[in-house]
Amino acid sequence: MEWEQQSAQPMQGRVALVSGGGSGIGRACAVMLAQAGARVVVSDLLEQGGRETVEAIHASGGEAVFVRADVSDAAQVEALVQRVLTQYGQLDCAVNSAGIFGRIAPLVEQGGDDFERVIGINLKGVFLCMKYQIAAMLPRGVGAIVNIASVQGLVSGPGAALYSASKHGVIGLSKGAALDNARTGIRVNVVCPGTIETPMARNYYAERGLPLPNDDARIPMGRVGRAEEVAAVALFLCSDASSYMTGVSLPVDGAITAQ
């Protein structure tokens, strides 16, 4: 079998949707997909960040539009995917990156509102995005979905029970969707980032009076990751280079989960 030479723009002619694209990992994914040739629909609850991502894509010669949406609201997610189809006529790949940490505290101190908020965005949001994305992809019989979970979806930590539960759920949901669609031409995979230098991570540590833990002994590589390092894996999973991969959860964590 001869391998086809990979194009410098492997996403040329394709349409990508990125939720949570207004900052951090989502922004890096949107920019990298555009650099690889995709037309990108950037979605976020926060309009300013989403529009800044679109401006960054335009500045580098790419094509993108912004659509504001709350991923925990079914009507808004359905309208978001419909906007993609109205704008571009197809949906080839999606990166579902929208998520929150929620309140970090022991389980006994968490309330029902804490649970509903974290699960509503991190897990229900992925469910709703996949539901409408898959429906849009099925008529063409091709597509790739990448869900951004976390190493907390593979392990856990003190005070992180709700966040960890939501990310474990993303992995389980993704495996089920991958099996549902194993013969439809639609692939579903997961990226599990460790500690990544993003605004959300910086805020998390700043609230505790701490810097990002580059010297944390729990990170064997001795540094936090960059959003672009996660985006590169997401791009790979969206591209034909990963055509025989579905239902996979890939840690991008500096070897945290190898211990």
Side-chain angles (χ1 to χ4, degrees):
M1 177 179 179
E2 293 185 3
W3 294 97
E4 293 182 4
Q5 184 176 0
Q6 291 298 309
S7 167
Q9 289 197 310
M11 304 303 291
Q12 187 67 43
R14 300 187 187 184
V15 176
L17 168 60
V18 180
S19 75
S23 67
I25 291 170
R27 173 174 289 177
C29 289
V31 169
M32 196 167 288
L33 283 162
Q35 291 172 341
R39 294 166 289 175
V40 183
V41 176
V42 178
S43 180
D44 204 288
L45 185 60
L46 301 178
E47 187 165 342
Q48 180 177 343
R51 294 197 181 282
E52 288 173 355
T53 299
V54 168
E55 289 171 5
I57 291 171
H58 288 168
S60 62
E63 182 175 348
V65 296
F66 172 73
V67 180
R68 183 183 182 277
D70 178 350
V71 296
S72 68
D73 184 290
Q76 291 189 43
V77 176
E78 182 178 20
L80 167 63
V81 175
Q82 185 56 51
R83 170 65 186 280
V84 177
L85 298 179
T86 301
Q87 183 88 20
Y88 292 118
Q90 65 194 63
L91 175 61
D92 299 287
C93 66
V95 177
N96 296 315
S97 181
I100 60 170
F101 280 135
R103 191 165 69 91
I104 303 301
L107 181 66
V108 70
E109 297 176 12
Q110 301 279 5
D113 289 345
D114 295 311
F115 179 88
E116 294 294 340
R117 182 165 179 261
V118 172
I119 298 299
I121 295 173
N122 292 0
L123 183 55
K124 181 185 177 185
V126 171
F127 158 70
L128 290 172
C129 285
M130 284 206 295
K131 173 181 171 66
Y132 293 107
Q133 291 160 0
I134 290 169
M137 293 171 176
L138 279 171
R140 297 177 63 233
V142 65
I145 295 173
V146 177
N147 296 320
I148 306 297
S150 167
V151 292
Q152 293 278 348
L154 301 168
V155 294
S156 193
L162 297 187
Y163 180 75
S164 181
S166 71
K167 296 302 186 178
H168 274 76
V170 167
I171 291 174
L173 199 66
S174 301
K175 287 180 178 180
L179 291 170
D180 286 345
N181 291 281
R183 299 196 180 193
T184 68
I186 298 168
R187 299 182 296 108
V188 181
N189 291 294
V190 183
V191 178
C192 299
T195 304
I196 306 298
E197 188 172 359
T198 65
M200 189 165 78
R202 284 195 295 270
N203 290 340
Y204 171 84
Y205 285 98
E207 287 171 1
R208 289 153 181 82
L210 300 169
L212 280 169
N214 271 311
D215 58 350
D216 193 329
R218 292 172 297 179
I219 306 176
M221 288 186 70
R223 66 172 178 85
V224 299
R226 301 187 306 275
E228 291 77 14
E229 291 175 304
V230 181
V233 178
L235 173 61
F236 165 70
L237 292 172
C238 284
S239 77
D240 290 343
S242 60
S243 59
Y244 199 52
M245 295 175 66
T246 193
V248 169
S249 300
L250 289 177
V252 183
D253 65 354
I256 290 173
T257 53
Q259 300 177 95

